[in-house]
């Protein structure tokens, strides 16, 4: 119940940050992983790191925001693995601006990677998930989908759409033995977030809004993803779990 031995897992955006922590966690639990990311250099370095430890991983360097790339990847998965036990839709991006400052192409870019990529990938991998028997999909959302966090409305809106996809597919695919859940982190200590955390005033405001008075570490998000992937969570589906140090239930949220 508490391991992923012989399970096949795909992790998008799995070469750094939260995605890398998820990759490491799933490997530690016995899963065979396939990491998808944009940077070929980072993926090759990751593959070599694991190979030196006697672990083989599959890697694919592509931009998942493009449908043609997603289609090519899906065909590769079907040819090589045929079935997929775990799909972690972690890849995402953001552009922080005020609502009136966004250009249309910037909003489209955010939605392309944060919503359309996981939506399209998940739907097209449906046969592989169904054939795996008791497969699970975990979407990495954000508390920005639940609350205003000054990350920009396109980011929050795209993650909210991902939440709704999670709930709908959980119901539609339950009879196929496919569970679908989402993890919604608050600020997490990654390279992507470091520029934000370097603003001392903003950092203090983040801590003030967080009852636990600290930001998350990537591994703390990864362990929740791993729980959703394991048989131990076999009766949980359609949930969006905030991993946020108490942020979303804090009554005192200063502007």
């Amino acid at each position: 119940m508490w391991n992923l031995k012989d399970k096949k897992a795909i992790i998008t955006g799995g070469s750094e940050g939260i995605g890398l922590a998820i990759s490491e966690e799933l490997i530690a639990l016995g899963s065979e992983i396939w990491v998808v990311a944009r940077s070929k250099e980072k993926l090759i370095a990751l593959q070599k790191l694991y190979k030196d430890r006697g672990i083989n991983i599959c890697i694919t360097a592509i931009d998942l925001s493009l449908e043609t790339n997603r289609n090519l990847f899906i065909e590769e998965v079907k040819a090589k693995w045929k079935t997929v036990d775990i799909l972690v839709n972690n890849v995402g991006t953001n552009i922080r601006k005020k609502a009136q400052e966004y250009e249309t192409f910037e909003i489209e870019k955010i939605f392309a990677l944060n919503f359309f990529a996981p939506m399209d990938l998940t739907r097209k991998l449906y046969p592989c998930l169904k054939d795996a028997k008791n497969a699970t999909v975990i979407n990495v959302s954000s508390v920005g989908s639940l609350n205003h966090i000054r990350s920009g409305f396109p980011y929050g809106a795209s993650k909210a759409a991902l939440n709704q996809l999670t709930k709908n597919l959980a119901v539609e695919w339950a009879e196929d033995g496919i569970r679908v859940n989402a993890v919604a982190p608050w600020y997490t200590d990654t390279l992507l977030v470091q520029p934000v955390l370097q603003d001392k005033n903003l950092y203090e405001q983040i801590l003030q809004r967080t009852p636990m008075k600290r930001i998350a570490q990537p591994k703390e998000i990864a362990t929740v993803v791993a729980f959703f992937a394991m048989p131990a969570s076999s009766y949980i589906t359609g949930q969006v779990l905030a991993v946020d140090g108490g942020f979303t239930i804090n009554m005192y949220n200063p502007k």
Side-chain angles (χ1 to χ4, degrees):
M1 296 292 286
W2 296 93
N3 72 80
L4 296 172
K5 186 178 180 182
D6 300 325
K7 300 291 186 181
K8 293 181 171 66
I10 294 173
I11 306 105
T12 68
S15 64
E16 63 182 21
I18 291 174
L20 178 58
I22 293 170
S23 298
E24 292 173 343
E25 194 70 22
L26 298 192
I27 281 180
L29 289 164
S31 179
E32 181 181 353
I33 70 167
W34 194 324
V35 181
V36 187
R38 290 187 183 187
S39 174
K40 186 175 182 180
E41 292 75 16
K42 289 181 180 179
L43 285 172
I44 291 174
L46 184 64
Q47 189 177 49
K48 183 180 183 304
L49 176 67
Y50 281 122
K51 189 173 183 180
D52 290 343
R53 291 164 50 185
I55 300 170
N56 293 317
I57 69 170
C58 297
I59 58 172
T60 299
I62 54 170
D63 178 358
L64 285 171
S65 67
L66 303 175
E67 185 178 9
T68 52
N69 287 350
R70 296 194 295 266
N71 289 340
L72 288 172
F73 173 64
I74 289 163
E75 290 306 312
E76 187 180 4
V77 171
K78 288 180 178 179
K80 188 168 184 176
W81 272 8
K82 295 184 174 49
T83 61
V84 176
D85 299 288
I86 303 161
L87 172 61
V88 182
N89 290 309
N90 169 71
V91 70
T93 190
N94 194 21
I95 301 169
R96 290 178 173 85
K97 289 185 176 183
K98 292 183 178 180
Q100 66 273 21
E101 296 174 352
Y102 282 101
E103 299 289 341
T104 300
F105 80 89
E106 293 175 318
I107 298 172
E108 291 174 344
K109 178 181 179 180
I110 293 169
F111 266 83
L113 203 57
N114 290 4
F115 177 67
F116 285 103
M119 178 271 291
D120 194 38
L121 200 63
T122 304
R123 290 194 313 122
K124 290 175 178 175
L125 282 173
Y126 166 76
C128 298
L129 294 163
K130 183 179 179 181
D131 289 346
K133 309 297 183 186
N134 301 315
T136 179
V137 178
I138 303 104
N139 296 317
V140 178
S141 181
S142 166
V143 293
S145 68
L146 307 170
N147 292 64
H148 168 63
I149 62 170
R150 291 191 297 183
S151 60
F153 83 86
Y155 181 79
S158 64
K159 293 295 188 177
L162 189 62
N163 292 354
Q164 193 59 44
L165 177 71
T166 299
K167 296 174 183 180
N168 284 9
L169 294 186
V171 175
E172 289 187 25
W173 293 358
E175 62 184 19
D176 298 314
I178 302 170
R179 295 186 297 113
V180 188
N181 291 291
V183 174
W186 176 221
Y187 279 100
T188 305
D189 189 10
T190 65
L191 289 175
L192 188 65
V193 175
Q194 278 301 324
V196 177
L197 300 179
Q198 286 172 5
D199 182 326
K200 291 185 178 180
N201 289 331
L202 182 54
Y203 180 68
E204 287 302 318
Q205 290 177 30
I206 292 168
L207 294 185
Q208 188 179 18
R209 298 176 75 181
T210 309
M212 292 184 72
K213 301 302 180 192
R214 66 177 179 84
I215 61 172
Q217 294 301 309
K219 186 175 178 64
E220 293 178 300
I221 313 302
T223 52
V224 180
V225 171
F227 172 68
F228 276 142
M230 287 189 287
S233 62
S234 59
Y235 200 56
I236 302 174
T237 194
Q239 301 304 305
V240 180
L241 178 60
V243 187
D244 63 356
F247 163 75
T248 51
I249 58 167
N250 189 8
M251 294 298 292
Y252 177 57
N253 283 340
K255 293 181 181 179

